[in-house]
Amino acid sequence: MENKTPKDYSHIKGWGIDADPKNDPTYPMKHRTDAEHEGYSWDRPTQQPIDVEVLHSIERPNVTAVFGTSVPPSGLSGMIRRFAFKHSENSYLHWLPLLMADRVNVVEGVIEDLGKGSVPNIFAEKGWKADWEHNRTGLIQKVGILALVTTAAVVLLTRKKD
């Protein structure tokens, strides 16, 4: 039988700090009237000019007033992102392709660097020097796991089929 006695967490600093509604800085954020369901209840900021492709959620009626333009979607990762934004934000078909597009974009960046004649310093970009100085055990564990997975992949891909 399970013990239903309440546990005492008072020894944990900050535990239960949000238990008192009078001490909750997030409530009430505003007086709720449901007027926001009628549309914009505030003056919308001036729309930033759209001079590059901007992807936005199908749940939004328009593009946000301000958005980033430093890296518009391009290449295979851009195609994957366009696919993802055709699906609702509550679907795996939105978020999983976006995760995959990020990984593909990393590979595209390495290929682009090599195409320009520069070899990327992957160790510096991944922060391995800082890991070596401040989290040596974690870095050794990461490298060990990477070596193990790489070895397993090579063995599985190169073994002879019976």
Side-chain angles (χ1 to χ4, degrees):
M1 181 157 179
E2 188 178 324
N3 186 357
K4 302 268 186 189
T5 325
K7 296 189 168 115
D8 179 25
Y9 296 105
S10 61
H11 63 284
I12 300 172
K13 184 177 180 181
W15 184 267
I17 198 165
D18 56 350
D20 181 9
K22 292 178 183 156
N23 188 28
D24 185 356
T26 63
Y27 179 82
M29 290 289 282
K30 67 174 191 170
H31 179 65
R32 303 219 178 258
T33 62
D34 290 332
E36 63 269 8
H37 296 294
E38 297 170 11
Y40 295 123
S41 59
W42 41 271
D43 292 332
R44 183 176 162 87
T46 306
Q47 178 69 50
Q48 177 181 343
I50 302 175
D51 53 1
V52 295
E53 181 181 9
V54 178
L55 300 173
H56 69 93
S57 170
I58 60 174
E59 277 96 21
R60 295 189 62 82
N62 49 21
V63 178
T64 56
V66 180
F67 48 84
T69 61
S70 64
V71 186
S74 63
L76 178 60
S77 63
M79 291 171 53
I80 296 170
R81 289 179 203 285
R82 287 182 200 98
F83 169 81
F85 276 94
K86 291 179 183 176
H87 299 279
S88 173
E89 289 184 14
N90 69 350
S91 168
Y92 285 126
L93 283 174
H94 179 80
W95 296 108
L96 292 180
L98 287 178
L99 289 171
M100 187 170 79
D102 286 345
R103 303 321 183 263
V104 169
N105 192 241
V106 169
V107 174
E108 289 173 337
V110 170
I111 292 170
E112 183 180 347
D113 286 348
L114 293 173
K116 291 179 181 177
S118 70
V119 178
N121 187 349
I122 294 173
F123 298 107
E125 292 175 12
K126 299 280 290 172
W128 285 19
K129 182 179 178 186
D131 261 357
W132 183 253
E133 291 175 14
H134 303 288
N135 185 17
R136 193 168 292 183
T137 306
L139 177 63
I140 292 170
Q141 183 179 9
K142 280 185 216 174
V143 171
I145 291 171
L146 178 64
L148 182 67
V149 169
T150 303
T151 303
V154 168
V155 167
L156 287 172
L157 294 173
T158 59
R159 69 180 183 177
K160 293 182 181 180
K161 298 188 168 131
D162 293 333

